[in-house]
Amino acid sequence: MRQFNNAMLRAIVAAVALASLAGCGIAGMNLGMGRLSEKECMMRAMYFESNRSSAEGMLAVGTVVMNRLNDPRYPKSVCGVVGQKNQFAQGVLTRPMTDSGAVLASRVADQVLSGARHPGVQAAQHFHTAGLRFPYNNMFYVLEAGGNEFYEKRRVR
C-alpha cells in the first residue's frame, strides 16, 4: 500500500508540474504565471482588499472593480483596473495567495464576472479601510463590508 501511495504522489506532482508548464489552471489561476486572466485579477483584488473570510466584502470589492470598468476614466479590462498604480494593495498582481481565502475569492470572482453585484455598493468606485473617516465633503459613504468603507465621490454644490 505504501508503494502505491508514493507512486500516486509522484504522478500527482508530475501532473501539476506539466499543467503549470502548459499554462493550465486550477480554480481559475494561471499556473504558468504568464499573463493573468481577468478572473485571477478579480480574485486578487478581492483577496488582498477584503476580509478573506467575507464573501460579502469580496463581492463589494468586485463590484467596485466592475463600476470602474464601466467608467471611461478607467482602463477597459479587469486587470487594467486592478493593476492601476496606487489604487489597490501593493503587489496585488504579484504576491502569492496563500490561504483558503483564494478558494472563496475564486467562487466570488465567478459570480461577479457573471453579473453579480453588491447592492449596497451602488455606484461607488472607491473604498478604504473601515474605521477611518476623512473630512472631505465630497465622500458619500454607502457601505461597510469586509473591513472596508465604500464611498462615492460626488460634486459638492
Side-chain angles (χ1 to χ4, degrees):
M1 187 67 167
R2 181 158 171 82
Q3 283 182 324
F4 177 76
N5 287 339
N6 287 338
M8 283 295 281
L9 179 61
R10 283 193 298 274
I12 290 169
V13 168
V16 169
L18 286 173
S20 68
L21 290 173
C24 295
I26 296 174
M29 295 188 303
N30 179 357
L31 296 178
M33 296 314 282
R35 193 180 107 104
L36 298 177
S37 70
E38 296 288 276
K39 178 180 177 178
E40 186 165 16
C41 290
M42 179 66 75
M43 287 173 58
R44 290 173 158 282
M46 295 185 305
Y47 179 90
F48 288 111
E49 292 289 357
S50 70
N51 178 334
R52 293 182 188 143
S53 63
S54 169
E56 180 188 20
M58 288 186 179
L59 181 60
V61 169
T63 300
V64 165
V65 171
M66 297 309 288
N67 286 348
R68 288 184 177 194
L69 185 63
N70 293 321
D71 184 318
R73 297 174 294 177
Y74 291 94
K76 293 293 155 220
S77 70
V78 171
C79 291
V81 168
V82 173
Q84 267 195 306
K85 189 174 183 175
N86 300 322
Q87 295 297 304
F88 289 88
Q90 187 173 9
V92 66
L93 295 179
T94 57
R95 291 183 0 221
M97 294 184 285
T98 59
D99 63 24
S100 61
V103 174
L104 179 59
S106 176
R107 189 181 80 225
V108 178
D110 284 337
Q111 294 169 357
V112 170
L113 295 172
S114 295
R117 300 293 182 269
H118 193 297
V121 172
Q122 302 170 40
Q125 295 179 342
H126 309 281
F127 60 92
H128 60 70
T129 303
L132 301 176
R133 288 292 173 138
F134 299 95
Y136 308 114
N137 59 0
N138 68 337
M139 295 172 73
F140 292 87
Y141 291 93
V142 296
L143 177 71
E144 181 178 335
N148 291 308
E149 297 268 359
F150 296 82
Y151 64 95
E152 297 178 21
K153 284 187 177 178
R154 297 181 187 164
R155 285 192 173 156
V156 180
R157 295 183 179 151

